């Protein structure tokens, strides 16, 4: 959309304009907006700008009217009052954004602690299986307690880059956390939620016995390679049975998380009622996370598009009500989704509150602010909202690198209070 440069003295009510300065250098909530009052014009004219950007196509061009008879002093007083009000609101938003960033930092720290625990657990599973199981159970129970007892949960995006075997651990933690959240939303018992978390954490452990050249292969697997990969569910059960401490119902999750309702899954080709209900929960989440993180990263889908594909393409294979509950839980705009806001700014959804899924927290692209200091804003009903979803591939290079939407997407959960 073409924009023209005009003098601040040329601005009129109904004009859609953009301020050519850093967001922190003016009192308005956004740099782009339609002029609604004379007071807004007076504030802009007081900023000592050489020009503003004017968007004719988005403006309402009103017919010429006689010069306003509003007393200049009165107008200046009203403008000063409005400016103070806007600055208070903006400062409140800035403080909220700082708190959002602090919460993200706390969540990232908790996530990394869990990743350290998973690395230790997987390292001990062969040599000290009982200790590994005790540590795994303790970690899962702590996360499950947060999920079960919170009135509202905040699901955070954690952008981490993993390598080789590390990706298996990121995937395990993702599937475990999201599966427990989904189980809660489906009204599973606390005991089942913990079993689901434990089974999901180890659902792919059998892949440790699959040759790395098969696991890392990005092109289509040969039939023998695919058959070997499918053995990971049975290998996982064999490994976990050696611990003599892994719950039997959680073993069903490890064995059956690739079974499909129509009998097209593996290893046994089970159908609907033959599949453990807990395994069905993990199967839905596992498919979602795999769509976001396939072995060939060029085929990776954004969380929003992965959710859409899952619902459209897996009907009859995965539990329909489980998939619907996952979509409701993750929100219309899951963490990791690139969006355009109603003020035309582009951002990355960072977290979703379970009580306000239409109004997530969004990291905003601003070329004037370093990425690590980029504002994270909370969207509000009746104010700033999401206009549309953007495919990462459609982003200009600078915005893509700033938002980094193709980073390893991991999720972590916190009570709304942090």
């Amino acid at each position: 959309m073409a924009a023209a440069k005009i003098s601040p003295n040329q601005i009129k009510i109904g004009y859609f304009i953009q301020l050519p300065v850093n967001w922190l250098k003016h009192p308005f909530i956004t740099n782009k907006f339609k002029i609604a009052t004379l007071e807004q014009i007076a504030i802009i004219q007081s900023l000592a700008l050489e020009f503003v950007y004017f968007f004719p196509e988005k403006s309402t061009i009103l017919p010429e009217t006689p010069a306003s008879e509003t007393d200049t002093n009165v107008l200046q007083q009203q403008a000063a009052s409005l400016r103070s009000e806007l600055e208070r609101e903006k400062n409140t938003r800035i403080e909220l954004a700082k708190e959002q960033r602090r919460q993200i930092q706390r969540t990232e720290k908790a996530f990394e602690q869990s990743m350290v625990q998973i690395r230790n657990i997987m390292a001990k599973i062969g040599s000290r299986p009982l200790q590994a199981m005790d540590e795994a159970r303790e970690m899962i129970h702590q996360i499950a307690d947060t999920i079960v007892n919170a009135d509202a949960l905040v699901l955070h995006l954690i952008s981490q880059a993993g390598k080789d075997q590390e990706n298996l651990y990121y995937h395990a933690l993702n599937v475990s956390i999201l599966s427990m959240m989904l189980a809660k939303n489906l009204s599973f018992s606390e005991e089942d939620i913990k079993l689901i978390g434990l089974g999901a954490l180890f659902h792919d452990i059998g892949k440790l016995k699959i040759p790395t050249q098969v696991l890392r292969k990005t092109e289509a697997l040969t039939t023998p390679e695919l058959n070997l990969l499918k053995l990971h569910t049975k290998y996982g059960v064999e490994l976990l049975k050696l611990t003599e401490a892994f719950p039997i119902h959680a073993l069903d999750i490890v064995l059956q998380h690739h079974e499909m309702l129509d009998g097209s899954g593996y290893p046994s080709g089970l159908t609907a009622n033959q599949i453990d209900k807990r395994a069905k929960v993990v199967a839905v989440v596992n498919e979602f996370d795999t769509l976001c993180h396939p072995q060939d990263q060029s085929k990776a889908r954004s969380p929003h598009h992965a959710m859409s594909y899952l619902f459209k393409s897996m009907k009859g294979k995965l539990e329909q009500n489980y998939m619907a509950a996952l979509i409701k839980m993750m929100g219309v705009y899951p963490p990791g989704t690139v969006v355009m806001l109603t003020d035309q700014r582009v951002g990355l959804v960072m977290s979703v509150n379970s009580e306000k899924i239409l109004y997530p927290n969004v990291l905003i692209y601003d070329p004037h602010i370093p990425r690590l200091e980029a504002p994270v804003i909370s969207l509000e009903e009746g104010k700033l909202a999401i206009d549309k979803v953007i495919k990462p591939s459609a982003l200009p290079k600078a915005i893509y690198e700033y938002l980094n939407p193709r980073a390893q997407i991991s999720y972590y959960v916190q009570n709304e209070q942090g």
Side-chain angles (χ1 to χ4, degrees), residues 177-201:
I177 288 172
L178 294 180
S179 294
M180 286 189 284
M181 287 187 70
L182 180 56
K184 180 189 177 181
N185 278 270
L186 292 167
S187 301
F188 277 65
S189 68
E190 184 172 347
E191 179 184 359
D192 275 343
I193 290 172
K194 291 177 179 178
L195 284 170
I196 285 169
L198 196 61
L201 188 68

Side-chain angles (χ1 to χ4, degrees), residues 275-294:
I275 306 171
D276 183 272
K277 65 177 183 179
R278 292 164 287 249
K280 291 178 182 178
V281 173
V282 176
V284 169
V285 176
N286 181 56
E287 288 291 333
F288 166 72
D289 197 66
T290 301
L291 287 169
C292 294
H293 304 107

Side-chain angles (χ1 to χ4, degrees), residues 321-375:
N321 61 323
Y322 288 12
M323 288 193 287
L326 179 67
I327 291 171
K328 183 177 180 181
M329 177 187 89
M330 297 289 286
V332 180
Y333 313 104
T337 302
V338 180
V339 295
M340 178 175 284
L341 304 183
T342 49
D343 65 1
Q344 305 303 298
R345 285 186 290 174
V346 176
L348 182 71
V349 176
M350 295 298 293
S351 62
V352 175
N353 186 307
S354 62
E355 296 298 305
K356 296 180 288 188
I357 59 174
L358 290 177
Y359 302 97
N361 299 311
V362 180
L363 182 143
I364 301 298
Y365 167 72
D366 188 330
H368 303 292
I369 301 176
R371 185 185 190 279
L372 294 179
E373 298 174 14

Side-chain angles (χ1 to χ4, degrees), residues 145-385:
D145 286 342
T146 296
I147 291 171
V148 169
N149 296 318
D151 292 328
L153 291 167
V154 178
L155 185 64
H156 289 270
L157 172 70
I158 309 287
S159 294
Q160 298 283 345
K163 294 182 180 179
D164 302 332
Q165 197 175 79
E166 286 286 281
N167 288 329
L168 181 63
Y169 302 159
Y170 286 121
H171 176 65
L173 186 56
N174 263 6
V175 175
S176 185
I177 288 172
L178 294 180
S179 294
M180 286 189 284
M181 287 187 70
L182 180 56
K184 180 189 177 181
N185 278 270
L186 292 167
S187 301
F188 277 65
S189 68
E190 184 172 347
E191 179 184 359
D192 275 343
I193 290 172
K194 291 177 179 178
L195 284 170
I196 285 169
L198 196 61
L201 188 68
F202 289 100
H203 76 282
D204 272 348
I205 193 171
K207 287 184 176 179
L208 296 177
K209 296 185 68 174
I210 304 296
T212 54
Q213 61 265 33
V214 174
L215 294 177
R216 294 178 187 173
K217 191 173 181 181
T218 55
E219 60 267 25
L221 297 178
T222 65
T223 298
E225 289 170 337
L226 185 59
N227 290 336
L228 178 60
L229 179 64
K230 287 181 177 181
L231 290 174
H232 80 273
T233 57
K234 291 185 176 181
Y235 288 159
V237 170
E238 291 170 3
L239 281 170
L240 293 168
K241 279 184 175 179
L242 294 176
T243 69
E244 299 181 355
F246 200 78
I248 187 169
H249 292 304
L251 282 175
D252 288 337
I253 294 170
V254 178
L255 184 64
Q256 298 178 13
H257 69 275
H258 282 291
E259 298 286 2
M260 297 291 160
L261 303 183
D262 61 0
S264 63
Y266 64 88
S268 303
L270 302 180
T271 55
N273 294 332
Q274 297 173 309
I275 306 171
D276 183 272
K277 65 177 183 179
R278 292 164 287 249
K280 291 178 182 178
V281 173
V282 176
V284 169
V285 176
N286 181 56
E287 288 291 333
F288 166 72
D289 197 66
T290 301
L291 287 169
C292 294
H293 304 107
Q295 190 59 41
D296 181 357
Q297 278 298 303
S298 68
K299 298 178 180 177
R301 290 175 168 85
S302 71
H304 175 84
H305 293 102
M307 202 76 73
S308 176
Y309 177 88
L310 190 73
F311 198 75
K312 292 177 182 176
S313 303
M314 299 302 286
K315 287 182 178 179
K317 294 181 178 293
L318 300 173
E319 284 285 357
Q320 189 82 357
N321 61 323
Y322 288 12
M323 288 193 287
L326 179 67
I327 291 171
K328 183 177 180 181
M329 177 187 89
M330 297 289 286
V332 180
Y333 313 104
T337 302
V338 180
V339 295
M340 178 175 284
L341 304 183
T342 49
D343 65 1
Q344 305 303 298
R345 285 186 290 174
V346 176
L348 182 71
V349 176
M350 295 298 293
S351 62
V352 175
N353 186 307
S354 62
E355 296 298 305
K356 296 180 288 188
I357 59 174
L358 290 177
Y359 302 97
N361 299 311
V362 180
L363 182 143
I364 301 298
Y365 167 72
D366 188 330
H368 303 292
I369 301 176
R371 185 185 190 279
L372 294 179
E373 298 174 14
V376 177
I377 62 173
S378 298
L379 305 187
E380 298 179 51
E381 186 172 1
K383 296 183 180 179
L384 195 58

Side-chain angles (χ1 to χ4, degrees), residues 131-150:
Q131 184 179 349
M133 282 300 108
D134 285 343
E135 291 178 9
R137 192 177 288 107
E138 181 181 355
M139 184 184 80
I140 291 299
H141 284 199
Q142 287 177 350
I143 298 173
D145 286 342
T146 296
I147 291 171
V148 169
N149 296 318

Side-chain angles (χ1 to χ4, degrees), residues 92-107:
T92 298
R93 282 178 174 258
I94 290 171
E95 288 305 311
L96 285 173
K98 288 180 179 177
E99 176 53 34
Q100 287 291 339
R101 190 160 291 285
R102 286 192 290 267
Q103 189 177 56
I104 289 170
Q105 290 170 345
R106 291 194 296 269
T107 305

